[in-house]
Amino acid sequence: MARGDGRLTHDLLPGEKGPQDSCGVFGVFAPGEDVAKLTYYGLYALQHRGQESAGIATSDGEQILVYKDMGLVSQVFDETSLSTLQGHIAIGHARYSTTGGSIWSNAQPTLGPRPEGTVALAHNGNLVNTRELVDMLEARRGGARAPKGEIARGNTTDTALVTALLDVEGDLARAIADLMPHLRGAYCFTIMDETTLYAARDPQGIRPLVLGRLDRGWVVASETAALDICGASFVREVAPGELIVIDEQGLRSSQVLEPRPKGCVFEYVYLARPDTRIAGRSVNASRVEMGRQLAREHPVEADLVIPTPESGTPAAIGYAQESGIPYGQGMVKNAYVGRTFIQPSQTIRQLGIRLKLNPLKEIIAGKRLVVIDDSIVRGNTQRAVVRMLREAGAAEVHVRISSPPVRWPCYYGIDFASRAELIANGLDTDEIARSIGADSLGYISFDGMVESTEQPAGELCSACFTGQYPVPLPDPRALGKSVLEQKKAGAPGAGPHPASPEKNEVPA
Ligand code: SF4
């Protein structure tokens, strides 16, 4: 739908984003392979994790080249740009902005100088101690000295800070290992210098990161689906707190920080691709099981189960299997219209959700429907869907949600909304049902969701449902997307930016 600049986005409704992932990362070390193209296809498979900008860095052993721009992977790269990216090492990034706005200078991979070369870095996740890291960098530089590298060129991301903090004497692996204990929050890094590929994951392992094997090399990627697309076989997950180093001598690993696993449960609900596996569990199987569980917890007499496309599909299949109610496709999603950069006319914009979803009237007219979606953030999308289905002749519309009510913001790389915008904070389930115009509404229970992932509850982050944040949060004023813009504007400790979390919404 229309962005601030009037162009279209992939969201179903203006101002009604679904949960947005923080990014996808990829890395490859493969002498003799076209690593730029492998990275391109890897990023292509990770496009759902970030659609704002894309970039690839390569090295031939002597020199690092970077190409990045705003837009989708397929818009940023073509044969010509990929052919300039020569070498046998590459990292890549597809960005959705968390810390730092969606502007060209914040695109990744970031580049930074080191005493004996260059470092390039791609980051999935979000750090929560950005202000501390700014202070650390300023202390190292003697306070008043002007910033260098990407920060000097206007980069306001936590990623640029990490890149700058790696500008220390000595081995890069040592520099990364020494820095990891100072980083708090979620990070999966793919990093390279002229000769070596590195991968590092935070000790909670909040975001996924996997290692794969090519005939002639190694791949690291946010999701197993990115290994599949480039023909790499899955080897294992990068362990929480682990640093992997890959060069001509092979692969070396060190457990830099003690693992305290807290994988993001929302990856299973919505964020990851259904054909990805996380911690040994198929994401698709988790979602189908969530649908089955929903049917057990919130049965209803109905004629047809339909998903909100596409994310509700596996759970809708599960609900139909468990309930015995037939599954059908009641709406068609136009997958491509939201990925154009052409500005819609006012007439087109007024179509609202109809621009993205079209009901199949002959299938839904006169039917009692169960509509399955993965989550409710503000409720505007579900309200528009229910209205559209009624206008198309549905006799009843029962909404079922395959995650519990989202009540807390995420600070580890997922952009939901501020606390005040989350509909489940102001209304109970019956009130939400009335607000969205549904005949009934049912959310899966917290335990039902967790059991569907087949992961121990103690090893999952579920803070957006519970408010129990596994990595302690700083003062609310030191959080938010614009934390570095505020710092740059000379307002340390100033009130929160309008786009940042409201004061008092971080639990003690
Ligand atoms: S707060 Fe929610 S979305 Fe964020 S990491 Fe935790 S479970 Fe995932």
Side-chain angles (χ1 to χ4, degrees):
M1 294 307 301
R3 307 190 305 194
D5 60 8
R7 291 175 175 169
L8 291 178
T9 73
H10 61 287
D11 303 323
L12 287 177
L13 270 182
E16 177 70 357
K17 287 183 301 190
Q20 306 288 316
D21 217 317
S22 54
C23 299
V25 295
F26 190 87
V28 54
F29 184 101
E33 297 282 357
D34 187 340
V35 291
K37 279 202 176 155
L38 285 172
T39 307
Y40 173 83
Y41 283 107
L43 293 180
Y44 210 80
L46 298 172
Q47 185 73 84
H48 61 291
R49 299 185 74 87
Q51 291 111 23
E52 295 181 353
S53 64
I56 295 175
T58 58
S59 174
D60 58 3
E62 296 189 348
Q63 179 180 226
I64 294 180
L65 295 171
V66 179
Y67 191 97
K68 56 188 176 181
D69 207 343
M70 302 302 289
L72 301 172
V73 177
S74 58
Q75 293 165 326
V76 170
F77 295 100
D78 58 19
E79 285 281 354
T80 308
S81 54
L82 287 173
S83 68
T84 64
L85 293 167
Q86 296 294 320
H88 60 280
I89 314 172
I91 61 171
H93 190 264
R95 180 169 194 245
Y96 176 79
S97 52
T98 47
T99 298
S102 181
I103 52 175
W104 186 89
S105 55
N106 285 346
Q108 298 185 31
T110 52
L111 262 188
R114 297 203 73 241
E116 291 172 7
T118 307
V119 60
L121 190 149
H123 175 199
N124 174 211
N126 191 56
L127 302 177
V128 296
N129 65 330
T130 307
R131 285 268 174 97
E132 270 176 36
L133 298 174
V134 173
D135 294 342
M136 189 173 158
L137 186 64
E138 287 180 354
R140 271 196 201 167
R141 288 180 172 165
R145 281 172 52 199
K148 295 195 291 182
E150 296 227 1
I151 295 176
R153 293 194 290 276
N155 190 319
T156 54
T157 64
D158 49 356
T159 312
L161 268 179
V162 172
T163 308
L165 286 163
L166 292 174
D167 183 12
V168 290
E169 292 293 335
D171 182 36
L172 181 54
R174 184 74 264 149
I176 299 168
D178 287 347
L179 184 59
M180 285 170 68
H182 296 281
L183 306 179
R184 291 212 314 277
Y187 58 88
C188 287
F189 294 134
T190 53
I191 305 174
M192 62 188 279
D193 57 18
E194 286 79 357
T195 61
T196 309
L197 174 69
Y198 309 82
R201 194 173 177 202
D202 65 79
Q204 289 76 25
I206 293 174
R207 303 268 145 252
L209 190 65
V210 291
L211 175 69
R213 192 79 165 105
L214 291 165
D215 285 345
R216 294 192 282 186
W218 298 91
V219 175
V220 280
S222 294
E223 296 188 27
T224 58
L227 302 183
D228 299 336
I229 200 172
C230 62
S233 55
F234 172 78
V235 175
R236 63 176 175 84
E237 307 242 332
V238 177
E242 182 183 12
L243 169 64
I244 286 177
V245 179
I246 303 168
D247 60 15
E248 279 171 355
Q249 272 77 54
L251 182 146
R252 299 179 295 288
S253 157
S254 51
Q255 190 65 46
V256 175
L257 297 168
E258 187 188 335
R260 297 190 301 277
K262 290 283 181 187
C264 168
V265 74
F266 219 81
E267 294 278 354
Y268 298 89
V269 171
Y270 168 75
L271 300 172
R273 283 173 55 138
D275 52 340
T276 277
R277 297 181 73 83
I278 303 175
R281 174 66 165 156
S282 152
V283 170
N284 185 65
S286 298
R287 291 178 189 167
V288 171
E289 183 54 33
M290 286 170 198
R292 288 178 168 276
Q293 183 65 19
L294 253 181
R296 290 190 283 270
E297 294 181 6
H298 298 286
V300 63
E301 279 200 19
D303 305 308
L304 192 66
V305 179
I306 65 170
T308 299
E310 308 292 334
S311 55
T313 302
I317 291 169
Y319 195 101
Q321 288 172 350
E322 185 70 18
S323 65
I325 302 169
Y327 169 88
Q329 186 185 16
M331 294 174 270
V332 174
K333 184 175 183 184
N334 187 340
Y336 297 101
V337 71
R339 297 187 175 174
T340 173
F341 275 71
I342 305 299
Q343 296 205 12
S345 68
Q346 187 59 23
T347 313
I348 296 283
R349 231 178 275 169
Q350 282 169 353
L351 288 172
I353 204 161
R354 294 294 296 271
L355 193 53
K356 298 293 178 72
L357 291 179
N358 213 10
L360 287 163
K361 287 186 184 157
E362 67 278 16
I363 290 181
I364 61 184
K367 301 262 175 48
R368 297 169 298 170
L369 301 176
V370 184
V371 183
I372 310 288
D373 208 343
D374 56 83
S375 56
I376 300 182
V377 178
R378 295 174 183 81
N380 296 330
T381 299
Q382 288 73 24
R383 189 176 301 114
V385 166
V386 171
R387 189 184 307 130
M388 187 178 73
L389 293 171
R390 290 202 192 282
E391 286 170 3
E396 294 174 19
V397 183
H398 302 274
V399 176
R400 297 292 180 268
I401 304 295
S402 61
S403 63
V406 175
R407 293 203 169 95
W408 298 90
C410 174
Y411 299 103
Y412 309 135
I414 306 305
D415 192 6
F416 283 117
S418 71
R419 228 190 142 209
E421 293 170 304
L422 296 169
I423 193 170
N425 276 321
L427 305 177
D428 65 24
T429 301
D430 288 343
E431 290 169 332
I432 296 171
R434 280 196 291 281
S435 170
I436 65 174
D439 292 288
S440 73
L441 170 65
Y443 290 93
I444 193 172
S445 65
F446 180 80
D447 289 345
M449 172 186 68
V450 168
E451 280 164 21
S452 302
T453 68
E454 295 187 347
Q455 307 300 312
E459 296 190 2
L460 288 172
C461 173
S462 52
C464 48
F465 306 112
T466 62
Q468 304 296 311
Y469 290 90
V471 180
L473 302 175
D475 182 287
R477 290 172 298 178
L479 285 167
K481 189 167 184 166
S482 310
V483 60
L484 288 178
E485 277 96 339
Q486 290 167 39
K487 181 89 182 169
K488 240 176 106 184
H497 183 280
S500 72
E502 293 95 347
K503 200 163 164 36
N504 299 331
E505 73 177 7
V506 179

